[in-house]
Amino acid sequence: MEEEKQSCFDKNWILQTNKEISVICLICKQVANSPIEISCDEHKNMEGLLIVGENCLKKFLNQNPNSCPISGHKNCLYYHSRVAKYCVNELVVTCPLQFEKEKRDKLGDKCNFKDKIKYLSKHLESDCHLQMIWCHFKKFGCSHCCLRRKMDEHIKLSQRFHYDLMVKYISELQKIVQQYKNENLKLKQERQINENHLSRQSINNLDLKLNKIFIGHKSIVWSIDYSIFGDDQFICSGSDDKTIRLWDINNNKQLRSFDKDLESVLCVKFAPYLYYNHDQYVICFSSRDKKIRFWEFKDNKQIKIFHGHNDYISSIEFSQFNGGRYLFSGSGDNTIRLWDVAKVKGLNIFNGHENAVICVDISPLHMNKNYNDTKMNDIGVIGGNGYTICSASYDKTVRIWDIETIKQFNIFKGHEDYVHSVKYGSNELLNTILSGSSDKSVRLWDIRSNKQIQVFNGHTKIVYTVDYSPLIGSNIGNSNVICSGSADNTIRFWDIRSNKKELHVIKCDEEDNGISYLKWIQLKNEKYLNLCYCSKKGRIGIYG
């Protein structure tokens, strides 16, 4: 039934009450339901809107991955078309159940509905007497289904039957509740034993040693990133000394630097899309000059520049979907922007923050997403249903945005000063967000309830960076341990299960003078993750 609602509309039905139809699905040749526009350079000279129905597109991409419905090329982009949707919604139609009934016979009940298609769903759900509906007591066990107008008669004639069903349902429910209570009590006892064991284990596992140090920057390093290219593994870094530097991890040495016409570099990222699609070795970085630049470090040349922000760009992040084709940036102009790396152009602007945006992060890939949705994301729908970004700002808030609609989902208020860092959880902590602030606190937020879960106090200065910590010496994903780096020159680890308990503190070398950024990395040929940090004095180090 749900699939029928999503299918495109019967053209013959629409033509009963409309002389012309302009929004035709290119796949099924019917009137497009939830129309999606195809955006493709190969078809830019074709006249009119290139429209497909959303459900038809999902089915097509499921059967023909990474193909265009018009011709066989790849990498089309798809957008929900507001113009086409408006045209469809304004079509005047009769009741589709009456239309189907007239094709069979014209006798019996008749539905006189005639209105715009945008009101059709409400009519079918609550008004149409030709609609077959289930008994209101279906969830208690009644399987009766009849025309809407006959349901009242069924309810009156079956009162005793329905009462007995409810009594039986409640009795079974009470047994289930009691069973859950017994199981929860047992789990609570087991969890307490495990938490005590894991807390002791975590403290032992957090005995980190400083294995590598990279020295070269002359001022605070604001950002680092890690990547493997072929047989080589690198770290890139950006600093207030107005340079980008590339480091060879195996040999602990600097390979390249870039400083042409730069101001302070605030964020650096390796560009995965350009490497995997164009075999280019590229570092993307943002700075106080309001630009996002792409540096091809193998040939030591600048290849792209994005213009659009009106103030410094503090944070950039590549999409986890579409192979990193899309880039998000947060700026001192209070906005977040979405860019298409392949087409070298800006796509959307997220407005809402009342002060500078300092950090952005992208929600992890959803393993439980509908298969068809995943196929669409591989083709070109930007983000898609369920994909979000979060942002931290000098307006003291953390916000969540829907990538597809550009709308704000959540706003978290609680920090008493600037918010510098924000991070999505994954695995068992998928519905949480972590943040660090100038108010010296680390906070954990629940996305579903839109509430703060915990506050972690212990740092004595600004918290610049936060992250979820894997258990050292373990190859599992996120544990219940988080970490934070601060201007107080410490890295602190916290157990979110143990009443805000601080598990461990790394007091960094005096030469560091404060921790500005943390990143967990998995070095090549090593089973476990290492903690990479950068500092206010320009040093970069790796703990493991």
Side-chain angles (χ1 to χ4, degrees):
M1 188 69 181
E2 185 63 28
E3 185 173 336
E4 291 178 3
K5 290 182 181 179
Q6 295 174 353
S7 298
C8 290
F9 302 117
D10 186 332
K11 187 164 55 175
N12 293 325
W13 168 55
I14 300 290
L15 285 172
Q16 272 192 328
T17 48
N18 299 271
K19 293 182 179 180
E20 296 181 356
I21 305 172
S22 59
V23 189
I24 299 296
C25 173
L26 293 171
I27 297 174
C28 71
K29 312 304 180 186
Q30 301 297 324
V31 180
N33 185 4
S34 188
I36 289 179
E37 182 178 353
I38 303 174
S39 177
C40 175
D41 289 340
E42 293 197 25
H43 309 305
K44 62 184 178 181
N45 295 324
M46 292 181 67
E47 295 183 0
L49 294 175
L50 305 181
I51 295 297
V52 289
E54 183 173 10
N55 200 45
C56 284
L57 179 61
K58 287 182 179 181
K59 290 180 179 179
F60 175 82
L61 295 177
N62 188 29
Q63 297 170 3
N64 307 277
N66 206 10
S67 296
C68 172
I70 302 174
S71 58
H73 65 270
K74 300 179 179 181
N75 297 324
C76 277
L77 288 178
Y78 303 102
Y79 301 90
H80 284 285
S81 174
R82 295 182 180 179
V83 174
K85 185 177 181 181
Y86 174 81
C87 292
V88 172
N89 283 340
E90 292 299 307
L91 292 171
V92 175
V93 295
T94 60
C95 176
L97 297 180
Q98 178 65 29
F99 175 72
E100 292 298 324
K101 182 176 180 298
E102 289 178 354
K103 289 196 295 186
R104 298 189 303 271
D105 65 83
K106 296 187 179 182
L107 300 177
D109 294 324
K110 183 176 181 181
C111 178
N112 295 316
F113 172 84
K114 186 176 181 181
D115 209 333
K116 293 180 179 179
I117 209 167
K118 61 184 177 182
Y119 303 123
L120 183 60
S121 293
K122 180 179 181 299
H123 166 72
L124 293 175
E125 290 172 4
S126 58
D127 299 329
C128 183
H129 58 267
L130 296 180
Q131 183 73 277
M132 298 290 289
I133 62 172
W134 290 101
C135 175
H136 307 323
F137 292 86
K138 180 183 178 183
K139 73 174 184 178
F140 300 111
C142 182
S143 59
H144 184 77
C145 182
C146 64
L147 292 173
R148 177 177 276 112
R149 67 178 180 81
K150 293 184 178 182
M151 183 54 66
D152 288 344
E153 181 182 357
H154 165 71
I155 296 296
K156 290 178 182 178
L157 295 175
S158 307
Q159 290 183 14
R160 182 65 191 183
F161 174 65
H162 291 150
Y163 175 79
D164 291 341
L165 286 177
M166 291 182 64
V167 170
K168 181 181 178 181
Y169 179 84
I170 293 172
S171 176
E172 292 176 350
L173 194 62
Q174 287 174 334
K175 293 178 182 178
I176 294 172
V177 170
Q178 187 58 49
Q179 181 181 351
Y180 273 120
K181 284 183 178 179
N182 295 336
E183 290 177 355
N184 284 337
L185 179 61
K186 183 179 179 181
L187 287 172
K188 187 175 181 181
Q189 294 170 343
E190 292 176 352
R191 188 182 298 116
Q192 187 61 50
I193 294 172
N194 290 335
E195 284 182 0
N196 293 336
H197 172 72
L198 284 172
S199 292
R200 291 192 296 270
Q201 183 190 45
S202 297
I203 294 172
N204 294 331
N205 286 336
L206 290 169
D207 185 19
L208 300 172
K209 295 180 181 180
L210 186 60
N211 293 332
K212 297 177 182 290
I213 298 177
F214 304 89
I215 299 175
H217 282 295
K218 303 293 190 290
S219 186
I220 183 170
V221 180
W222 286 115
S223 176
I224 47 179
D225 198 16
Y226 167 81
S227 188
I228 296 175
F229 295 99
D231 295 328
D232 302 314
Q233 52 184 351
F234 304 108
I235 287 176
C236 63
S237 55
S239 167
D240 246 4
D241 65 10
K242 304 180 182 180
T243 68
I244 308 292
R245 297 178 190 244
L246 180 71
W247 310 85
D248 184 329
I249 292 180
N250 295 331
N251 299 316
N252 278 49
K253 69 178 184 179
Q254 178 180 304
L255 294 177
R256 295 281 177 87
S257 66
F258 183 80
D259 60 0
K260 184 179 180 181
D261 302 324
L262 298 187
E263 294 186 23
S264 296
V265 180
L266 301 179
C267 194
V268 293
K269 297 288 178 183
F270 287 105
Y273 181 82
L274 296 176
Y275 176 68
Y276 290 110
N277 290 275
H278 301 284
D279 198 29
Q280 291 180 305
Y281 295 73
V282 178
I283 296 172
C284 176
F285 62 93
S286 64
S287 76
R288 294 191 181 277
D289 66 4
K290 311 174 189 177
K291 300 173 185 176
I292 301 173
R293 301 169 186 260
F294 292 77
W295 171 42
E296 216 287 346
F297 59 82
K298 190 174 182 181
D299 297 326
N300 196 26
K301 63 181 181 180
Q302 187 169 274
I303 59 172
K304 299 182 182 185
I305 300 179
F306 286 169
H307 301 268
H309 282 295
N310 299 318
D311 208 332
Y312 63 87
I313 302 169
S314 52
S315 179
I316 53 176
E317 194 73 36
F318 284 101
S319 63
Q320 296 187 38
F321 50 85
N322 296 92
R325 174 172 175 170
Y326 300 101
L327 179 69
F328 296 85
S329 58
S331 168
D333 64 13
N334 305 355
T335 70
I336 302 156
R337 289 181 180 249
L338 168 62
W339 312 83
D340 186 334
V341 175
K343 294 192 174 184
V344 195
K345 68 176 184 178
L347 297 176
N348 290 323
I349 303 175
F350 301 79
N351 290 293
H353 277 295
E354 298 172 3
N355 207 330
V357 179
I358 301 304
C359 184
V360 294
D361 194 27
I362 301 176
S363 60
L365 289 175
H366 293 239
M367 294 303 185
N368 295 324
K369 284 179 63 61
N370 178 275
Y371 179 74
N372 288 329
D373 287 343
T374 303
K375 286 291 181 186
M376 288 182 70
N377 288 333
D378 289 340
I379 299 304
V381 171
I382 301 170
N385 181 36
Y387 285 90
T388 61
I389 56 173
C390 61
S391 54
S393 169
Y394 278 176
D395 66 11
K396 306 177 186 178
T397 69
V398 172
R399 302 178 191 235
I400 299 178
W401 314 79
D402 179 74
I403 293 175
E404 190 174 22
T405 64
I406 328 174
K407 292 181 179 179
Q408 180 178 294
F409 269 168
N410 304 57
I411 177 170
F412 298 108
K413 297 180 179 180
H415 280 296
E416 299 171 0
D417 210 332
Y418 299 158
V419 187
H420 294 276
S421 181
V422 67
K423 193 75 175 177
Y424 274 104
S426 61
N427 297 340
E428 67 267 29
L429 299 175
L430 182 64
N431 292 299
T432 64
I433 286 180
L434 197 60
S435 61
S437 167
S438 286
D439 64 13
K440 308 171 190 176
S441 73
V442 177
R443 298 178 188 242
L444 189 67
W445 312 86
D446 185 278
I447 297 173
R448 294 164 297 185
S449 65
N450 199 27
K451 292 181 180 179
Q452 177 179 290
I453 304 174
Q454 292 191 42
V455 182
F456 304 92
N457 294 303
H459 284 294
T460 58
K461 292 184 180 180
I462 295 171
V463 178
Y464 280 120
T465 178
V466 294
D467 205 348
Y468 294 79
S469 305
L471 283 173
I472 312 302
S474 169
N475 58 2
I476 65 172
N478 286 24
S479 69
N480 288 288
V481 178
I482 60 175
C483 62
S484 53
S486 166
D488 65 12
N489 209 33
T490 66
I491 302 172
R492 297 174 187 258
F493 296 84
W494 322 77
D495 188 338
I496 65 175
R497 303 158 304 175
S498 302
N499 195 26
K500 311 170 193 175
K501 181 178 179 181
E502 186 176 276
L503 290 175
H504 187 64
V505 179
I506 297 177
K507 295 181 179 179
C508 298
D509 194 288
E510 291 182 2
E511 291 295 319
D512 292 315
N513 196 34
I515 305 304
S516 52
Y517 193 80
L518 296 173
K519 184 175 183 66
W520 290 96
I521 63 176
Q522 184 159 18
L523 298 180
K524 195 172 182 180
N525 300 323
E526 290 194 17
K527 184 177 180 181
Y528 307 119
L529 297 179
N530 292 262
L531 181 59
C532 187
Y533 78 90
C534 49
S535 72
K536 293 182 70 175
K537 282 288 187 178
R539 296 208 318 172
I540 300 168
I542 298 179
Y543 280 98

